[in-house]
Amino acid sequence: MFFYKFKEILLRFFPLILLYFLSFNSFEILKNHPNLIIFSFNLPVIIIYFYVLKLPHALGHGHIFTAGIINDIVVGIPLGISSLSYLILALVTSYIRNVTIREKMSAEWFTFVPALFFSNFISYIIINNFSNLSIYYIELLQNSFFTFLFFPIFYYFFNILSKLTPKD
Amino acid sequence: MFDNRDDYIIALRYALLKRGAKQKFSLFFLILLSIAIIFLDKSSISVMTPVRSVLNDLVYQVVIVSSAPGKSVKHLGNLTKQHFITYDKNKLLQEEVIKLKNKQFNDIFLKTENKNLKNTLNLTNNRSLKSDISIPAKVILDNQSPYLKSLLINKGRKDRIMKGMSVFSKNYLIGTIVESNFLSSRVLLLTDLNSRIPVIIENSDINAILSGNGSKSDLVLEYLPDQFELEPDQIIFTSGKDGYLAAGIPVAQSYLNKKNEVFVKVLADPDQASIIYITNGQINK
C-alpha cells in the first residue's frame, strides 16, 4: 500500500522534482566527460516544453518561475533572466497547444524550434543589455542545437512516464 | 483572413491570461514579475544587495545537499582511477625529487645573489607579508555554464572573504572572488571570458593581459607587441601591475598543439579543484 502510494506521488511530481533538481545542479552529467561536453543540452527547457504542451496541469507556472530564479542564482547571472526565458517558452508552448488541432510527435518537434528561439532570444537580449557578461555564443548555439536534437528521446521517455502516471 | 487573425489573437490571449484549473498564477503576471525582478536587480537599490545575498546563501546550502550524490560518484571514480596511476607516478616522482634537490641548491644561490643585488641597488620589497591571509575553502559547485565559468565555495563574508581576493588551487592561481555572500562566495575562473589579469612572460620584459576564452587550454594574451612571437614552454607570471596580485605568481604556460601552433594553457586545473585557498593577493604559502 505504502509502496503504491509512494510510486503514485513520485510519478505525479516527477516533472517538478526533476525540474528543481536540474535547477539546483545545472545538469552536470556531461560536464564530467570532456569529450562529450559538446553534446551538452538544456534538459529543463525540454521538460517545460513537453509538460506545458502535453500535461499542463503537471507543471505550474509558479514552479517554472521559481526554477528559473534558482537557476539564475546557481549559474550566477542577474536574477529573473532564466525565469523570463522559461516563462516565454511556456507562453509560446501554450500558444502552440491552443492552435494545434492534431497531436503529432514530428509536428511538436518542429514547433519546438520557434519556442526555443524565442526563449533564447529573450535571455540573450537581456544579458546583453542588463549585464556586463560576455556570452559563449558557440557553446549556446551548440547547446540549443542538441536540445532540439535530443527532444524526441525525452519525448518518448516522458510520454511513457505520463502514461504510467495515475489520472485525477 | 480576419477570422484567421482573430483566432491567433484569441489563442495568444488564452495562453497569456488563462490560468487553468491547477494554475495559481497566469503567465502574464509571472512575466511581469520576472521583468520587475530584472529591473530591481539591475538598479542598485540598497535593499536588493542583502536580499540577493540571503537568496544566494539559501540556494547554495540546498546545492550542497543536492549535489552530494553526484559528487560522491565522481569522487569514487576519481579514487579508483588514482589508485591505478599512483604506482607509475611514484616512480617518476622519485626521479623528479632527485632532480629538484639539485636545482634547490641553485635556487638558494640565486636568491642570495638577488637579495645582495637588491641591497646594493637600495630596492625594497613592497610585499606586506604581515597582511597575508590564506583561508582554505571547499568547492560546493563547479559551474561551467555558457554564461559563466565559476566555482561556488563554502566560505563568505563571515570568514573574511571579500570581493577581489585571489584564489589558489595546489599553489596555482585559478581565479578571483567576484561575489561574496555571508556564508558562500563565487570564484570567477581564469578561463572565463570575463577574466583579465596583467602578466609578464618568462625570460622577457613583455607585459600583457591574460584573458580567458572558455577553455583551460586556450587562453588569450592581449596587448602583446606587434613583432613579438610567443615560444612554446614559456611560463607566464603575474606582473603585479594591477596593484592587487603579487608579481611572480605562475599562472599559465605556452605549448605547441597538434597542429604546431603555440597556445596558452592554465597551470592549475580548475576542474580538479576541491579544496582551494583564498588570499589577499599574495601567493599561497
Side-chain angles (χ1 to χ4, degrees), chain B residues 35-257:
Chain B
I35 294 170
I37 289 172
I38 293 168
F39 274 103
L40 278 172
D41 201 27
K42 170 76 181 165
S43 62
S44 310
I45 302 171
S46 56
V47 179
M48 276 312 281
T49 318
V51 169
R52 172 120 205 189
S53 197
V54 169
L55 269 176
N56 286 351
D57 276 338
L58 272 175
V59 171
Y60 295 161
Q61 296 311 311
V62 182
V63 166
I64 296 172
V65 179
S66 65
S67 63
K71 273 189 175 172
S72 306
V73 174
K74 192 180 166 188
H75 179 69
L76 207 70
N78 282 343
L79 215 66
T80 318
K81 213 165 122 185
Q82 274 294 317
H83 180 79
F84 287 109
I85 56 172
T86 303
Y87 181 78
D88 294 335
K89 212 173 177 182
N90 187 39
K91 266 187 182 175
L92 287 171
L93 284 174
Q94 276 176 348
E95 286 168 18
E96 207 169 315
V97 163
I98 296 165
K99 276 184 201 167
L100 284 172
K101 268 184 181 169
N102 292 332
K103 207 178 165 190
Q104 202 179 15
F105 295 119
N106 195 26
D107 283 354
I108 291 167
F109 169 72
L110 287 172
K111 260 186 190 174
T112 319
E113 192 182 43
N114 189 28
K115 200 177 162 187
N116 289 338
L117 286 169
K118 272 187 176 175
N119 282 338
T120 316
L121 292 168
N122 284 333
L123 287 174
T124 50
N125 254 337
N126 287 329
R127 287 186 189 184
S128 143
L129 289 171
K130 277 183 188 169
S131 61
D132 263 6
I133 51 165
S134 176
I135 306 159
K138 201 177 164 192
V139 175
I140 305 171
L141 190 74
D142 41 347
N143 210 318
Q144 308 276 319
S145 76
Y147 302 107
L148 217 60
K149 310 283 177 204
S150 61
L151 299 176
L152 289 178
I153 56 166
N154 69 342
K155 295 275 169 80
R157 286 200 299 275
K158 191 179 152 223
D159 303 283
R160 295 177 297 150
I161 306 280
M162 307 298 285
K163 200 172 166 181
M165 286 174 114
S166 318
V167 182
F168 292 86
S169 168
K170 291 172 187 165
N171 279 340
Y172 292 122
L173 184 73
I174 56 164
T176 46
I177 301 282
V178 286
E179 175 191 294
S180 170
N181 307 306
F182 189 64
L183 298 169
S184 55
S185 307
R186 184 181 290 277
V187 180
L188 184 77
L189 295 175
L190 290 178
T191 50
D192 190 87
L193 264 181
N194 303 285
S195 161
R196 302 228 177 333
I197 55 165
V199 290
I200 191 159
I201 297 158
E202 180 193 351
N203 290 333
S204 75
D205 57 350
I206 303 293
N207 281 286
I209 297 288
L210 184 74
S211 59
N213 202 11
S215 159
K216 57 186 177 187
S217 52
D218 182 17
L219 276 82
V220 182
L221 281 171
E222 292 174 355
Y223 309 111
L224 282 172
D226 291 339
Q227 303 301 318
F228 181 76
E229 275 192 23
L230 190 66
E231 284 167 20
D233 295 324
Q234 278 188 299
I235 303 286
I236 293 152
F237 298 95
T238 53
S239 66
K241 295 222 164 157
D242 54 349
Y244 213 91
L245 279 170
I249 304 172
V251 276
Q253 187 180 20
S254 57
Y255 72 100
L256 269 183
N257 72 352

Side-chain angles (χ1 to χ4, degrees), chain A residues 31 61 73-74 79 95 136, chain B residues 23 41 142-143 146 186 193:
Chain A
K31 207 193 80 186
H61 297 151
I73 294 170
V74 174
L79 280 186
Y95 176 78
Y136 301 87
Chain B
Q23 303 288 0
D41 201 27
D142 41 347
N143 210 318
R186 184 181 290 277
L193 264 181

Side-chain angles (χ1 to χ4, degrees), chain A residues 27-43:
Chain A
F27 194 40
E28 292 183 275
I29 294 164
L30 293 177
K31 207 193 80 186
N32 298 331
H33 306 280
N35 296 332
L36 294 178
I37 201 148
I38 190 176
F39 300 112
S40 72
F41 59 99
N42 200 339
L43 189 54

Side-chain angles (χ1 to χ4, degrees), chain A residues 103-117:
Chain A
E103 287 181 9
K104 216 171 149 191
M105 200 289 276
S106 56
E108 281 162 359
W109 187 18
F110 281 98
T111 48
F112 187 39
V113 177
L116 199 61
F117 169 77

